[in-house]
Amino acid sequence: QAQLVESGGGLVQAGGSLRLSCAASGRTFTFSRYGMGWFRQAPGKEREFAAYISRAGYSTYYADSVKGRFTISRDNAKNTVDLQMNSLKSEDTAVYYCAAGPTYSDTARAYTYWGQGTQVTVSS
């Protein structure tokens, strides 16, 4: 079992930046064995993929909607994965979730463990 806890959400003006962090823990959970993803869900919409980073951090993938503005990174020594979000837009408003999965996927059902989410609100 794993516990994922997101932090760093909040209210920001359009054009601003936020940095989300996800801390992973678990007695039998080995963070470095999992690829990590960030997903988001806006009110009334399905959960959608935002970014992914491979187990060692060598490969990253982004949704077209965030490419060039968001950067995912991880620290396997600290069991954390971050999402730096720049040039935020009102359409980025959503609950953001981190998730742990075996390999790259932009589909939520491929991920095994999920955090509870953190709210990001971008005002225009």
Side-chain angles (χ1 to χ4, degrees):
Q1 290 291 338
Q3 291 78 46
L4 304 179
V5 179
E6 302 94 338
S7 61
L11 174 64
V12 63
Q13 288 188 332
S17 299
L18 278 177
R19 188 176 184 88
L20 306 183
S21 186
C22 172
S25 63
R27 190 170 60 87
T28 61
F29 179 74
T30 304
F31 182 72
S32 60
R33 293 181 180 177
Y34 288 83
M36 298 297 296
W38 282 96
F39 285 75
R40 62 187 186 181
Q41 188 166 18
K45 296 187 177 181
E46 293 187 355
R47 193 168 298 190
E48 66 174 11
F49 170 77
Y52 170 89
I53 188 166
S54 61
R55 288 173 289 186
Y58 295 139
S59 298
T60 57
Y61 301 90
Y62 298 93
D64 288 342
S65 58
V66 308
K67 198 173 296 182
R69 300 187 298 121
F70 290 11
T71 302
I72 189 171
S73 61
R74 68 187 294 162
D75 185 334
N76 284 349
K78 296 181 178 179
N79 286 6
T80 59
V81 57
D82 291 350
L83 186 68
Q84 177 66 43
M85 306 186 296
N86 298 329
S87 302
L88 284 162
K89 306 174 182 180
S90 57
E91 51 262 45
D92 295 318
T93 295
V95 177
Y96 283 71
Y97 300 89
C98 69
T103 58
Y104 167 68
S105 176
D106 60 3
T107 303
R109 64 176 179 268
Y111 290 77
T112 306
Y113 301 108
W114 290 83
Q116 293 299 307
T118 186
Q119 176 71 47
V120 171
T121 303
V122 184
S123 63
S124 57

